[in-house]
Amino acid sequence: MGWFLGLGIAGLVLLLLSLLFDGLLEGVLDGLGGGLEGFLSLPVIAGFVSMLGFAGAITLGTTGLGAGAATAAGALAGASAGWLTWRFSRALMRDDAPTAPRGEDLVGSAGTVVTPIPAEGYGEVLLTLGGQRLKYAAKGSEPLARGAEVWVESMLSETSVAVRPVER
């Protein structure tokens, strides 16, 4: 049972080291893993080793089975823990969310003029999108004073919008 507990503790220590020294051995493990996309990362290995040890110790201590059966149960639990760690880390590292608002996100949003908008030029508006305040260059169909409430009609570019005054 001492071997299994030692493996479990070693897995936890490896997990702690992987959290403290993020990416220290990742280059070596990536080279060994080929196209496994992070399956041989330190957190995955740590999860496997710790579950192998602790599940093996629990199996050995609570049943009358021998070391071979405890190793098999630990390996099964370790493989499950490693797979779950890999899936969770992939979900956390996924970067498919857009970093900047798209044109259709801003159209129809409300804002306030912060730099007056002249008749044939640009000013600035402060828009709120998803709780985040964003500042854009703005062009209006008519002059708008500072503090005027506006609606975004369209995106002119990635940094500018066309606005119209809110009519009340």
Side-chain angles (χ1 to χ4, degrees):
M1 185 181 300
W3 283 100
F4 286 116
L5 289 176
L7 281 173
I9 292 169
L12 290 179
V13 168
L14 186 60
L15 179 62
L16 181 65
L17 289 175
S18 74
L19 293 174
L20 291 176
F21 303 108
D22 185 32
L24 185 65
L25 295 176
E26 294 294 326
V28 173
L29 292 174
D30 286 342
L32 294 173
L36 293 178
E37 297 180 27
F39 195 70
L40 286 180
S41 67
L42 282 178
V44 170
I45 293 170
F48 174 80
V49 171
S50 63
M51 283 304 292
L52 169 69
F54 290 133
I58 290 170
T59 302
L60 193 60
T62 59
T63 65
L65 301 175
T71 302
L76 182 64
S80 299
W83 182 79
L84 284 173
T85 304
W86 177 64
R87 294 291 293 175
F88 285 139
S89 65
R90 282 188 57 204
L92 289 174
M93 297 300 207
R94 185 173 41 223
D95 191 20
D96 58 357
T99 56
R102 298 178 305 241
E104 61 266 15
D105 295 335
L106 289 174
V107 173
S109 63
T112 306
V113 176
V114 291
T115 303
I117 301 173
E120 294 297 323
Y122 284 89
E124 293 179 319
V125 293
L126 194 59
L127 306 172
T128 303
L129 181 68
Q132 183 178 2
R133 298 172 62 87
L134 306 165
K135 190 176 187 183
Y136 279 86
K139 188 172 193 172
S141 56
E142 59 188 69
L144 296 168
R146 183 174 195 261
E149 292 181 54
V150 294
W151 290 103
V152 175
E153 289 185 316
S154 64
M155 290 287 294
L156 300 174
S157 71
E158 288 189 27
T159 58
S160 64
V161 293
V163 296
R164 64 175 172 83
V166 173
E167 297 174 13
R168 294 188 187 241

